[in-house]
Amino acid sequence: MRRSRFFLPTLRDNPKEAEIVSHRLMLRSGMVRQASAGIYSWLPMGLRVLKNIERIVREEQDRAGNQEVLMPTIQSADLWVQSGRYDDYGPEMLRIKDRHERDMLYGPTNEELITDIFAGAVRSYRELPQKLYHIQWKFRDEVRPRFGVMRGREFLMKDAYSFDLDYESARRAYQVQFVTYLRTFARMGLRAIPMEADTGPIGGDLSHEFIILAETGESEVFCDRTFLDYDLLGREIDFADAEAVGAIVEDFTRLYARTDEKHDQAAFEDSVPEARRYQGRGIEVGHIFYFGTKYSKPLGARVATAEGGEAEVHMGSYGIGVSRLAGAIIEASHDEAGIVWPEAVAPFRVGLINLKAGDAECDAACEAAYGKLAAAGVETLYDDTEERAGAKFAEMDLIGLPWQLILGPRGLKNGLVELKRRASGEREELSLESALARLTTG
Ligand code: ATP
Ligand code: MG
């Protein structure tokens, strides 16, 4: 993409309404634009990031054997009346009437609808287990929408649902999602810590919030620092191997990690040596939850059992805040100059800077480099504008692409270009060929 053609409305100054760094940087780097309170339009730069996050979430859900569906954003109130949540949900639910005066709503989540879909299709224990997910916009009329896309009213969520014959099998489904979440967030360059969360009336230990440590987070958290060193991506995980999956979950749940709702100071001090105690704030990026027959009972999701009887299915639901992650990743990865995108979610891999647009030799070298990067499938934003060098550098740092390839007449005279890594700030002079070789591999 040529910068001169790219729709990228960047801001030089910090917008007043933005209280936290990710919100400021998303506005300044032209990723999103507020449409109304807690509701955003995603501009090209932001949408590229959102799609990358979504792709990773989808790949990992598919890898774990979940099947993708797509349910609507607008739902009829009927199922919610049946489950008892139509009244319970309160003012967070956006309620709508259609032209026939029927009660509709903009879905804040999808347990009711997916349970109804399941109940209408599955009759026998032989068809279990089932695991379905979708990635769809949700609406919650939050009291205080703030922090940009982190607490929006309209937001993109991945929600998965599992259906099993009994508790043991539901527990396995839960564990597979647990490990899938660890992988998903690690691929985005994030360290998301699974913390014990409230299970409500169901009880048990099958509810975890996945939390990224960040000062601007809305949850207060307490955990063992050992979490800060784990590396999961090196391991090959066979999701069909229940024991191996269970062992990883065991590994992670042994360590103390709780949000303030579940925190117990005495237990924390007993189980974690002082030097390893972390107390701070965090951002919830995912939540997994086993809730037994809470929805299958009122919505009639039953299957025939092997013994000739009938049983209500055991369910779990598994959410990831896809749009919140765009902000959360920035909270976890930025510096004074701007965003520092992890490679896996970066909107482009390379920013190519032409230091003297209009200079025939410089233009030709840049065009050649741009062509070669495109041919190798490396996504590149080519700054072909006539801005001054300082402004170009500042903008590239602000938008945070992992690599900057800088071409200017002085270097080119000696056959040299400059390659800068955004994360470390490291700069290196080398030949264009070596630079391209570096950027087109790995
Ligand atoms: P929170 O405590 O932050 O309100 P929640 O418990 O209401 O979250 P869930 O219902 O479990 O959230 O939703 C699943 C995921 O969706 C959350 O882990 C979070 O990442 C994301 N999410 C929830 N509410 C919002 C929101 N208002 N804006 C953006 N993302 C959200
Ligand atoms: Mg909430």
Side-chain angles (χ1 to χ4, degrees):
M1 176 63 64
R2 283 169 203 276
R3 176 66 185 90
S4 57
R5 303 297 315 144
F6 193 41
F7 187 78
L8 181 62
T10 55
L11 304 176
R12 198 148 302 170
D13 298 314
N14 277 328
K16 275 192 278 315
E17 71 271 25
E19 298 168 62
I20 61 171
V21 67
S22 60
H23 189 193
R24 282 199 289 276
L25 289 174
M26 285 183 82
L27 293 173
R28 283 190 53 207
S29 65
M31 289 178 66
V32 292
R33 198 189 143 93
Q34 183 173 306
S36 62
I39 303 179
Y40 289 85
S41 299
W42 291 76
L43 306 184
M45 183 69 102
L47 189 59
R48 282 176 161 261
V49 173
L50 190 67
K51 294 271 176 209
N52 286 339
I53 295 171
E54 190 180 329
R55 176 178 45 75
I56 293 173
V57 169
R58 177 175 287 115
E59 283 172 6
E60 292 301 324
Q61 287 295 305
D62 291 344
R63 179 201 297 269
N66 301 290
Q67 292 181 52
E68 186 170 6
V69 297
L70 185 58
M71 291 176 269
T73 53
I74 306 289
Q75 304 179 22
S76 152
D78 297 349
L79 293 171
W80 290 75
V81 170
Q82 228 174 305
S83 74
R85 281 211 293 184
Y86 193 58
D87 291 330
D88 289 355
Y89 225 94
E92 252 190 40
M93 180 184 274
L94 182 65
R95 297 157 205 260
I96 311 163
K97 271 202 197 299
D98 71 9
R99 66 195 300 163
H100 306 291
E101 292 291 303
R102 279 187 292 247
D103 290 319
M104 312 288 289
L105 56 97
Y106 194 127
T109 176
N110 283 65
E111 280 82 3
E112 281 78 359
L113 199 51
I114 197 83
T115 307
D116 187 57
I117 291 170
F118 174 91
V122 178
R123 299 267 170 265
S124 160
Y125 73 96
R126 285 196 201 85
E127 298 164 74
L128 295 181
Q130 291 288 345
K131 301 189 280 186
L132 302 170
Y133 77 97
H134 76 158
I135 300 176
Q136 177 64 291
W137 292 90
K138 306 290 189 286
F139 194 95
R140 295 182 187 174
D141 207 350
E142 302 275 358
V143 201
R144 268 191 83 197
R146 57 184 183 154
F147 300 161
V149 300
M150 296 247 272
R151 182 161 301 281
R153 293 199 295 165
E154 190 181 42
F155 60 97
L156 189 60
M157 193 206 283
K158 182 284 298 179
D159 37 327
Y161 303 90
S162 62
F163 304 87
D164 286 270
L165 190 58
D166 52 30
Y167 172 77
E168 256 323 301
S169 150
R171 182 183 179 81
R172 278 197 292 280
Y174 182 92
Q175 293 186 328
V176 165
Q177 282 288 0
F178 187 107
V179 176
T180 298
Y181 274 39
L182 292 173
R183 273 192 59 92
T184 302
F185 298 126
R187 278 188 61 189
M188 296 172 195
L190 290 173
R191 223 169 263 285
I193 302 178
M195 305 212 179
E196 284 175 45
D198 239 347
T199 48
I202 310 288
D205 58 356
L206 298 187
S207 173
H208 285 88
E209 288 175 357
F210 286 72
I211 304 249
I212 292 166
L213 303 183
E215 273 162 43
T216 46
E218 291 184 278
S219 323
E220 183 164 29
V221 302
F222 304 81
C223 71
D224 189 323
R225 284 181 185 276
T226 310
F227 276 114
L228 304 179
D229 305 319
Y230 73 71
D231 173 26
L232 192 84
L233 288 181
R235 301 196 217 172
E236 219 10 85
I237 296 160
D238 176 5
F239 283 107
D241 182 348
E243 226 165 272
V245 168
I248 296 173
V249 174
E250 179 68 22
D251 241 18
F252 280 90
T253 49
R254 259 186 308 115
L255 298 171
Y256 191 99
R258 299 187 193 171
T259 61
D260 49 0
E261 282 171 17
K262 296 276 283 183
H263 177 61
D264 171 346
Q265 187 64 24
F268 187 42
E269 287 173 17
D270 279 351
S271 61
V272 189
E274 197 171 351
R276 286 215 322 258
R277 277 179 223 148
Y278 175 91
Q279 175 178 352
R281 304 197 70 79
I283 302 166
E284 177 192 327
V285 289
H287 189 180
I288 60 177
F289 201 77
Y290 162 76
F291 45 72
T293 59
K294 181 173 173 194
Y295 299 98
S296 53
K297 197 182 285 232
L299 295 168
R302 286 184 288 272
V303 293
T305 62
E307 294 77 31
E310 272 205 326
E312 279 141 4
V313 292
H314 289 243
M315 292 177 56
S317 80
Y318 315 91
I320 290 183
V322 175
S323 50
R324 175 178 288 182
L325 273 164
I329 292 169
I330 296 175
E331 288 295 326
S333 186
H334 67 269
D335 61 19
E336 300 276 273
I339 303 170
V340 181
W341 287 117
E343 291 257 353
V345 298
F348 297 90
R349 181 152 198 250
V350 177
L352 170 61
I353 300 179
N354 182 341
L355 285 181
K356 200 161 188 196
D359 174 277
E361 203 187 328
C362 208
D363 288 351
C366 285
E367 290 294 337
Y370 185 47
K372 283 186 183 151
L373 288 166
V378 178
E379 292 193 301
T380 303
L381 181 64
Y382 168 29
D383 190 344
D384 57 342
T385 65
E386 285 172 12
E387 283 289 330
R388 15 171 224 102
K392 290 188 175 189
F393 290 139
E395 185 182 271
M396 273 303 171
D397 280 353
L398 171 67
I399 64 178
L401 311 181
W403 294 95
Q404 295 172 16
L405 178 60
I406 304 153
L407 274 62
R410 219 174 309 147
L412 286 172
K413 232 174 250 144
N414 305 313
L416 293 174
V417 302
E418 218 182 330
L419 192 59
K420 174 177 160 183
R421 248 208 114 92
R422 176 66 180 89
S424 59
E426 220 176 297
R427 288 160 167 267
E428 195 184 334
E429 268 203 311
L430 68 185
S431 72
L432 180 56
E433 248 162 58
S434 321
L436 290 175
R438 189 88 56 87
L439 295 173
T440 51
T441 52

